[in-house]
Amino acid sequence: MTDTPSLPEGCEISTDPARLDRERVHRWLSTDAYWALGRTREKQDRAIEGSLNFGVYDTVSGEQIAYARVITDRATFGWLCDVYVDPSARGKGVGGALVAAVREELRSYGVRRVLLATHDAHAVYERHGFAALERPGEWMALVFGP
């Protein structure tokens, strides 16, 4: 892990689920995120309720500009998912700072392993210490649908 970026000026991160703009998060993911296209609002709300959520907010407008969630027991394991940065905030370091904040929050719990899946952002996550599985043949998945 060579990179611990800070948030751009005028941004803050919060793990308070009450601050989330759930409608915005749902719109982002269900219409623009290849892994969640068509996800229902009900399913998104259930996912939020069962997860550790991270929102990035513009400190002037209060508007949410990014989101990530982690499915975790807060002790041994975490699954980082639904990482999304609003198109207007991309290229400004928001995503990198968000991933770094997730990493440090999970480290503070003593979590040993954090996994994620991505089709196209390997380099983003590698900057924060993520690497391909050393022994992928040891991992299995149970898939109920597409």
Side-chain angles (χ1 to χ4, degrees):
M1 289 169 280
T2 60
D3 194 357
T4 306
S6 58
L7 277 170
E9 183 81 22
C11 294
E12 65 181 351
I13 294 179
S14 173
T15 58
D16 179 359
R19 287 189 69 185
L20 294 173
D21 183 337
R22 289 176 178 229
E23 177 57 38
R24 177 174 285 205
V25 169
H26 175 253
R27 185 176 66 254
W28 283 337
L29 298 176
S30 68
T31 65
D32 193 39
Y34 65 81
W35 64 90
L37 293 175
R39 185 182 289 169
T40 67
R41 173 68 190 267
E42 176 190 24
K43 186 171 278 199
Q44 183 61 48
D45 284 342
R46 283 195 338 254
I48 288 170
E49 293 303 323
S51 301
L52 172 61
N53 299 276
F54 293 77
V56 180
Y57 303 90
D58 179 299
T59 57
V60 174
S61 69
E63 181 177 83
Q64 186 172 350
I65 60 171
Y67 175 73
R69 70 184 181 92
V70 179
I71 302 160
T72 183
D73 57 11
R74 291 183 168 101
T76 62
F77 180 79
W79 177 267
L80 174 58
C81 53
D82 289 347
V83 179
Y84 189 91
V85 177
D86 188 82
S88 68
R90 292 180 187 164
K92 300 176 181 174
V94 172
L98 177 57
V99 173
V102 168
R103 180 188 69 208
E104 295 310 310
E105 181 81 12
L106 294 174
R107 184 192 318 265
S108 77
Y109 298 142
V111 169
R112 286 191 31 121
R113 182 171 285 116
V114 180
L115 295 179
L116 63 82
T118 183
H119 288 293
D120 58 358
H122 295 81
V124 171
Y125 296 105
E126 287 170 349
R127 286 193 294 267
H128 300 283
F130 286 89
L133 294 173
E134 288 182 27
R135 296 181 303 274
E138 293 180 4
W139 294 85
M140 298 178 71
L142 173 63
V143 180
F144 290 109

